[in-house]
Amino acid sequence: MSEEGEGQMQTQKRFRHLKRGAGWAAVAATIGGAAAGVAGCGSSSSDSSASAAPAGGGAETSSATYVAQAKKISADAQHGLVYSPTDAFTPAAQLKVMTSWLGPSQTPPVPKGKSIAFVSCGAVICNETVQSGAKIAQAAGFETHLVNINGKADIQNLNQAMSSAIALHPSAIVGMCITATQVADKLEQARKAGIVTVSTCDPTPTGGSGQFDAAADYANGLSTELLGWGIVADSAGKANVVAIKDEGFPAVIRKIGNLVHVVEGCSTCRVKTATWQVTDAADSAKAANIITGIINGNPKMDTLVMPYSVGMPSAVQAVASSGRKIMVYADDLDAVNQQTLHAGTLAMVSSVDPQLAMYQAIDQVIRGLDKAPYVKPEQLPYLAHLYTKATVPSTGVGAFQSLFDYASVYRKLWRQP
């Protein structure tokens, strides 16, 4: 764990705040389905400089303005940690580089003799996240359990995983990409048993019947929003994008929706979505066939967006077999995407830091066990970064530590050495 503390804090003072730029174009409709048509890239908004050209300037001026904004945001996201007060879509004017801590300033004492069960969705990024969480929790004094490592993400298996977690009689359960609506009865069982439940990577509501008690939501809505800006910037406003969406996960629906919103604001770009399920992505032959079909059905596409690393080898193979120049972008810097980016077959990866997400989730657990108020979403904070081959770290877990020493902040909040 980094101990550079003050030095890194001083380094952050060099980061600039993003310019208070133009507003956003309104989105006319959400695009869905593998055969969805190309969305109109113009905007109906008349007050956005991203879509409304200056008098006498024409569409090219508007496009140039939007591309310049994209390059600014993309550059800042590649050099610092971009902050948003929400993980819903964030107007460009509200994005900024974090130069000082924007999260909680105090936490109740860490309780003694408590345990946390971390439940993974089974995917690589989920496994990496909960394994990081277990290490952090153990260092803070919690007993820990890991459930569903390398398991399946179907509803039946996730319900079984939650039942297994409850059977361990933990003080708290942290669910990684476990959708509340899919395990609502298990969350009620946990509540009746006095188990605190905290979600990350799931944007569904909290605090009610059949819901998690609290959340420390993965900032993947923000990270893919930044990825959209990166695509517009890299292509100089000429990208023709197909983004794959998995409608089985609210987090994926949100993050692909945010990316589409950004690319739609570019009047000279094109974007559409295709839909698959994680079970399709996990089947290499099926994933390759789906992506080959997407490529063949979109002769002008030059950009493919993957929502996660599942199916990435099939995507790389399908693109290579097509003989076409198609840039591949993805969310989540897990081990698979990290290796693919390092190999040069990925153009860019947007990501949060799984370790930071776990510090945030465990902090919520501490509050829940103390019956103290939970941290509000806008105070978590939400942070994301863009990686290229030139900047890819050896792992995404803890990668943000080189940009901001959040670990020392939480150690102080938890009164640890």
Side-chain angles (χ1 to χ4, degrees):
M1 199 71 67
S2 172
E3 297 291 347
E4 296 176 359
E6 294 299 322
Q8 290 185 348
M9 286 288 198
Q10 293 299 320
T11 299
Q12 299 312 305
K13 293 182 180 179
R14 298 200 303 268
F15 290 139
R16 308 181 310 277
H17 285 277
L18 291 178
K19 294 179 180 177
R20 299 290 178 178
W24 286 86
V27 177
T30 300
I31 309 169
V38 175
C41 290
S43 169
S44 60
S45 174
S46 61
D47 60 356
S48 170
S49 63
S51 58
E60 288 303 317
T61 303
S62 175
S63 176
T65 300
Y66 199 77
V67 170
Q69 185 178 46
K71 290 183 177 181
K72 174 66 170 64
I73 294 173
S74 179
D76 281 330
Q78 291 180 56
H79 291 91
L81 299 179
V82 173
Y83 162 80
S84 169
T86 175
D87 211 22
F89 184 79
T90 306
Q94 295 179 25
L95 297 172
K96 61 182 179 180
V97 174
M98 190 177 76
T99 58
S100 60
W101 181 244
L102 299 171
S105 59
Q106 58 183 6
T107 300
V110 177
K112 297 184 181 299
K114 303 296 183 180
S115 62
I116 303 175
F118 294 88
V119 183
S120 169
C121 78
V124 174
I125 187 64
C126 295
N127 297 336
E128 291 182 353
T129 301
V130 298
Q131 287 167 338
S132 174
K135 292 179 181 178
I136 295 168
Q138 289 166 7
F142 288 97
E143 179 185 348
T144 63
H145 309 278
L146 292 174
V147 181
N148 201 43
I149 296 296
N150 296 319
K152 296 180 180 179
D154 61 89
I155 296 176
Q156 180 179 353
N157 188 68
L158 294 180
N159 272 271
Q160 180 58 52
M162 288 295 292
S163 292
S164 297
I166 293 170
L168 293 169
H169 304 292
S171 308
I173 292 174
V174 173
M176 173 60 190
C177 282
I178 308 297
T179 302
T181 53
Q182 296 176 343
V183 297
D185 61 327
K186 303 303 184 298
L187 293 173
E188 280 304 296
Q189 289 178 27
R191 180 172 285 111
K192 291 177 181 178
I195 299 171
V196 172
T197 58
V198 176
S199 167
T200 186
C201 182
D202 180 40
T204 55
T206 58
S209 177
Q211 299 174 352
F212 285 90
D213 294 323
D217 198 9
Y218 238 52
N220 50 23
L222 169 63
S223 68
T224 45
E225 186 174 332
L226 297 178
L227 192 64
W229 285 114
I231 290 170
V232 174
D234 287 354
S235 68
K238 302 296 182 182
N240 191 313
V241 183
V242 176
I244 296 180
K245 179 171 58 173
D246 185 337
E247 294 184 340
F249 295 92
V252 176
I253 295 172
R254 172 186 60 189
K255 65 184 182 179
I256 295 302
N258 285 3
L259 180 141
V260 167
H261 195 159
V262 172
V263 181
E264 282 187 328
C266 169
S267 62
T268 50
C269 298
R270 295 292 180 269
V271 60
K272 64 189 295 187
T273 61
T275 302
W276 71 7
Q277 298 177 351
V278 69
T279 49
D280 298 326
D283 184 322
S284 58
K286 183 178 289 187
N289 286 337
I290 291 173
I291 295 173
T292 297
I294 290 171
I295 294 171
N296 292 340
N298 295 275
K300 293 185 179 181
M301 73 173 282
D302 54 25
T303 304
L304 174 68
V305 176
M306 297 286 286
Y308 37 51
S309 70
V310 186
M312 180 59 71
S314 298
V316 170
Q317 178 184 359
V319 168
S321 297
S322 73
R324 288 164 51 184
K325 185 177 181 180
I326 297 174
M327 308 297 288
V328 184
Y329 291 74
D331 189 47
D332 295 335
L333 190 68
D334 60 14
V336 174
N337 282 344
Q338 181 267 327
Q339 292 172 9
T340 311
L341 183 61
H342 189 268
T345 44
L346 263 174
M348 180 178 284
V349 172
S350 57
S351 189
V352 305
D353 183 339
Q355 181 175 269
L356 172 60
M358 286 293 95
Y359 270 109
Q360 294 172 334
I362 295 166
D363 193 66
Q364 296 285 50
V365 166
I366 294 169
R367 294 167 190 276
L369 293 175
D370 190 70
K371 301 189 183 305
Y374 291 109
V375 178
K376 295 179 180 179
E378 63 271 18
Q379 297 173 329
L380 278 171
Y382 292 114
L383 299 171
H385 186 77
L386 292 178
Y387 295 99
T388 64
K389 180 179 180 180
T391 60
V392 59
S394 58
T395 176
V397 180
F400 288 7
Q401 276 288 106
S402 65
L403 299 168
F404 197 99
D405 188 11
Y406 60 80
S408 68
V409 172
Y410 277 103
R411 286 198 297 270
K412 290 178 182 177
L413 288 175
W414 299 348
R415 301 161 185 82
Q416 293 181 297

